[in-house]
Amino acid sequence: MDKLIKTISESGSFRAYVLDSTETVRTAQEKHNTLSSSTVALGRTLIANQILAANQKGESKITVKVIGNSSFGHIISVADTKGHVKGYIQNPGVDIKKTATGEVLVGPFMGQGQFVSIIDYGTGNPYTSSTPLISGEIGEDFAYYLTESEQTPSAVGLNVLLDEEDKVKVAGGFMLQVLPGASEEEIARYEKRIQEMPAISTLLESDDHIEALLNAIYGDEPFKRLSEEELSFECDCSRERFENALLTLGKDELQAMKDEDHGAEIVCQFCQTKYEFSEADLEELIND
């Protein structure tokens, strides 16, 4: 089971989240049949949203949209405060690597656009905030969003590593934030460690990348583990939800579906589950 561990420095001046999101991203790849670049881009977005959702309380839902104008199109993710996340990428078929190293490319194919966060507190007045994409690598764009939109200086590292067959090998990351009251001396120490930190891909390839991330973030500084929370890819779609969607179309459109198409098939964008509605099902909806 994937997990997110929340920690805080003993001084109370810094907090860090570290994540293992391997099964989350692996499930997303399987459901959407994504190729290499699309897998990494979608995976990074899911991890970013898992971090954002971990900052919320109650029954809030957080939608993250990475809106680019190039090959990937839009990447949409929805997460809740229970560790569940779902998402999709408009173009699952981007598969581009550097010829010399085989490194999967993401940033150049996101294009210009926005990192958008929509937080629904369940009150009917969702809060929307956005910042421009600065690199298209998603981790850097997320860090910029946290610093500019939420006014919290943040360092972020997240990535998805693939095996020789372009299947998800490991996925995860971290977020480090400066809290009020941090001294200049403390900030300088943490900044130095982050600057000297090994590449996130190197840390993720460690035998225990959760511990490797924590060691890289804190070094010899004492810290406390506050909680460990389970994470998973989980879609909340249902036949009933799509029935309700069909009812909004009205009798004429439902009758046309019944007469011309002899039924309807609806595919959930987030998990690719198919829901079949026969002529008899549509007739029942028309009568309702």
Side-chain angles (χ1 to χ4, degrees):
M1 179 66 72
D2 289 345
K3 59 186 177 182
L4 178 148
I5 296 176
K6 294 181 178 180
T7 67
I8 190 167
S9 65
E10 196 169 81
S11 67
S13 300
F14 292 83
R15 69 176 173 186
Y17 296 170
V18 293
L19 302 86
D20 179 358
S21 303
T22 304
E23 289 302 322
T24 297
V25 181
R26 188 173 286 153
T27 302
Q29 181 185 41
E30 291 169 355
K31 288 185 177 297
H32 295 289
N33 197 26
T34 49
L35 299 185
S36 63
S37 297
S38 294
T39 298
V40 175
L42 174 58
R44 291 176 182 175
T45 304
L46 294 173
I47 298 167
N49 204 3
Q50 287 174 326
I51 292 172
L52 272 181
N55 268 339
Q56 301 301 318
K57 296 179 180 179
E59 299 296 319
S60 301
K61 284 197 172 183
I62 302 87
T63 300
V64 166
K65 299 181 180 181
V66 182
I67 302 173
N69 63 359
S70 190
S71 304
F72 293 121
H74 298 181
I75 309 173
I76 311 296
S77 168
V78 181
D80 63 25
T81 54
K82 298 179 178 66
H84 306 136
V85 70
K86 61 183 180 179
Y88 68 91
I89 185 168
Q90 278 190 321
N91 184 358
V94 183
D95 182 17
I96 304 170
K97 305 180 185 72
K98 283 186 178 178
T99 304
T101 62
E103 178 189 349
V104 176
L105 297 178
V106 172
F109 304 98
M110 186 60 69
Q112 296 180 328
Q114 299 286 318
F115 186 101
V116 181
S117 169
I118 304 168
I119 304 175
D120 184 353
Y121 300 104
T123 61
N125 295 300
Y127 174 75
T128 301
S129 182
S130 68
T131 50
L133 299 179
I134 58 170
S135 71
E137 296 292 346
I138 300 175
E140 295 169 12
D141 302 309
F142 179 42
Y144 184 75
Y145 166 84
L146 291 170
T147 301
E148 293 297 313
S149 182
E150 299 198 353
Q151 300 297 303
T152 307
S154 307
V156 172
L158 45 88
N159 209 351
V160 178
L161 306 184
L162 307 179
D163 62 19
E164 295 79 9
E165 297 179 346
D166 285 345
K167 301 299 181 184
V168 174
K169 180 180 178 183
V170 62
F174 75 91
M175 176 191 71
L176 172 67
Q177 292 187 314
V178 183
L179 300 178
S183 68
E184 292 299 323
E185 182 183 349
E186 278 184 299
I187 293 172
R189 288 202 309 271
Y190 276 85
E191 282 183 343
K192 185 174 188 294
R193 263 198 307 279
I194 293 299
Q195 290 167 359
E196 295 175 351
M197 178 184 288
I200 184 69
S201 57
T202 301
L203 293 170
L204 289 177
E205 286 188 301
S206 304
D207 291 337
D208 185 341
H209 70 259
I210 289 288
E211 294 305 318
L213 287 166
L214 289 171
N215 289 335
I217 292 167
Y218 286 109
D220 295 328
E221 310 235 9
F223 67 93
K224 301 174 185 176
R225 296 177 187 242
L226 300 177
S227 65
E228 180 175 316
E229 302 169 11
E230 292 184 350
L231 304 172
S232 64
F233 186 105
E234 187 169 313
C235 189
D236 55 354
C237 68
S238 66
R239 184 178 180 84
E240 182 182 8
R241 178 170 292 186
F242 285 112
E243 279 183 354
N244 291 333
L246 285 171
L247 282 170
T248 65
L249 298 177
K251 287 187 176 182
D252 291 342
E253 287 191 60
L254 289 173
Q255 190 67 50
M257 281 185 188
K258 177 176 176 288
D259 296 340
E260 298 169 16
D261 302 325
H262 307 291
E265 179 185 89
I266 302 177
V267 180
C268 176
Q269 282 186 302
F270 288 99
C271 68
Q272 297 299 299
T273 299
K274 294 181 180 179
Y275 294 90
E276 303 279 353
F277 294 88
S278 66
E279 289 185 68
D281 293 330
L282 293 179
E283 180 65 30
E284 189 175 335
L285 291 174
I286 290 168
N287 292 333
D288 285 344

